[in-house]
């Protein structure tokens, strides 16, 4: 059936425009081989995790003055490197701006497979996507982080909960902001859903995986944290 459909509506890969073969899905073989994977899931200490933990440490330095400064090192990983001028940027842009949900599902499953094989993420108990403000989700029709998170959670055999974190205020896009502006933009933007407070209390202390579509400065994930 796929071969028949390909005759009528040929499928092409969004990165290179090459026509996909019957046994190829989304990624043609040459682009799959060249996909700039980070392999950060194999390294608990990596540039992404270090940047995220630097932000956490600033909070701990403040908490230290109150005698409440303890937080284990938070792991962090990404599937592939994002280059705003590279050809693989079309993967992220296709999901985020052009409604290519199958693209998000495909790479969500791929990310889940990588995390599932890592010894550092074996105790994850829950997957939570970074929420969108209702206005942006209504306009876009979906939350791209939720699309990725659902497939990642499925690959890990875990639940994905999109009702735990809420975005309580509308924030402008982070795309063109500098580091300091990004931090200020999302500061206080997220909150716990008070309607399920008792449920949330039960998962406190567990290893929770928070998923977003793109990681740059870590400001958004830190605001969720």
């Amino acid at each position: 059936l796929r071969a028949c459909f390909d005759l009528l509506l040929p499928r092409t890969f969004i990165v290179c425009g090459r026509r996909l073969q019957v046994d190829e899905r989304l990624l043609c073989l040459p682009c799959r081989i060249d996909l700039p994977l980070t392999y950060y899931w194999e390294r608990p200490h990596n540039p992404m995790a270090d940047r995220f933990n630097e932000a956490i440490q600033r909070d701990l330095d403040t908490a230290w003055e109150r005698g409440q400064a303890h937080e284990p090192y938070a792991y962090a990983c990404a599937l592939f490197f994002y280059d705003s001028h590279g050809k693989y940027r079309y993967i992220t842009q296709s999901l985020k701006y052009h409604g290519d949900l199958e693209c998000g599902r495909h790479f969500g499953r791929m990310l889940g497979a990588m995390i599932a094989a890592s010894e550092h993420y074996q105790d994850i108990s829950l997957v939570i996507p970074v929420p969108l403000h209702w206005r942006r989700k209504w306009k876009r029709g979906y939350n791209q982080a939720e699309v990725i998170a659902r497939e990642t959670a499925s690959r890990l055999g875990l639940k994905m909960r999109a009702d735990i974190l809420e975005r309580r205020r509308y924030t402008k896009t982070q795309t063109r902001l500098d580091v300091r502006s990004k931090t200020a933009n999302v500061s206080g933007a997220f909150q716990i859903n008070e309607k399920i407070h008792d449920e949330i209390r039960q998962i406190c202390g567990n290893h929770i995986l928070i998923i977003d579509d793109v990681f740059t400065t870590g400001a958004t994930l830190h605001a969720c944290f």
Side-chain angles (χ1 to χ4, degrees):
L1 284 175
R2 182 177 294 172
C4 292
F5 280 122
D6 282 350
L7 288 174
L8 299 173
L9 296 171
R11 296 172 300 127
T12 58
F13 182 36
I14 55 177
V15 167
C16 64
R18 175 181 174 271
R19 182 170 175 172
L20 295 174
Q21 301 300 312
V22 175
D23 58 345
E24 294 177 331
R25 296 190 62 185
L26 290 177
L27 278 172
C28 66
L29 183 58
C31 287
R32 176 66 182 86
I33 293 173
D34 290 337
L35 185 67
L37 299 175
T38 68
Y39 293 97
Y40 283 171
W41 48 86
E42 297 178 355
R43 300 164 52 194
H45 289 266
N46 59 64
M48 180 179 174
D50 288 344
R51 181 175 295 182
F52 182 41
N53 281 274
E54 284 175 8
I56 296 173
Q57 186 60 48
R58 289 194 291 271
D59 291 342
L60 294 181
D61 291 342
T62 302
W64 177 265
E65 300 173 1
R66 302 192 300 267
Q68 302 173 339
H70 174 72
E71 187 67 44
Y73 187 88
Y75 297 151
C77 69
L79 181 61
F80 62 89
F81 292 106
Y82 178 85
D83 181 353
S84 60
H85 301 291
K87 63 180 183 178
Y88 289 96
R89 73 185 187 276
Y90 294 121
I91 294 174
T92 303
Q93 293 173 357
S94 182
L95 168 62
K96 192 167 186 174
Y97 302 115
H98 303 297
D100 191 349
L101 303 188
E102 182 54 33
C103 177
R105 296 186 188 106
H106 178 84
F107 290 101
R109 289 190 291 269
M110 185 181 295
L111 176 63
M114 301 302 183
I115 292 177
S118 171
E119 62 179 307
H120 309 297
Y121 296 87
Q122 294 301 310
D123 60 341
I124 295 173
S125 57
L126 187 65
V127 178
I128 298 177
V130 172
L132 278 182
H133 189 271
W134 69 267
R135 285 168 54 192
R136 183 161 284 147
K137 187 173 182 179
W138 175 80
K139 182 178 180 181
R140 186 172 294 167
Y142 60 94
N143 177 2
Q144 67 275 8
E146 189 174 328
V147 173
I148 298 169
R150 181 175 291 106
E151 297 302 323
T152 301
S154 177
R155 183 62 182 80
L156 294 171
L158 299 172
K159 287 185 177 181
M160 188 278 292
R161 295 287 300 270
D163 61 337
I164 291 178
L165 270 181
E166 295 179 328
R167 200 162 195 140
R168 67 180 186 179
R169 65 178 178 83
Y170 190 85
T171 56
K172 56 186 176 182
T173 180
Q174 301 272 80
T175 307
R176 295 180 176 84
L177 300 179
D178 58 27
V179 175
R180 182 174 296 180
S181 298
K182 285 180 178 180
T183 301
N185 187 44
V186 295
S187 179
F190 303 98
Q191 66 180 10
I192 294 295
N193 183 357
E194 294 294 337
K195 295 179 181 178
I196 54 173
H197 187 271
D198 292 338
E199 226 180 313
I200 293 172
R201 189 187 296 271
Q202 296 176 8
I203 65 173
C204 287
N206 291 338
H207 189 175
I208 297 173
L209 178 65
I210 302 176
I211 289 185
D212 203 1
D213 59 329
V214 176
F215 180 99
T216 51
T217 65
T220 300
L221 287 182
H222 177 242
C224 292
F225 187 84

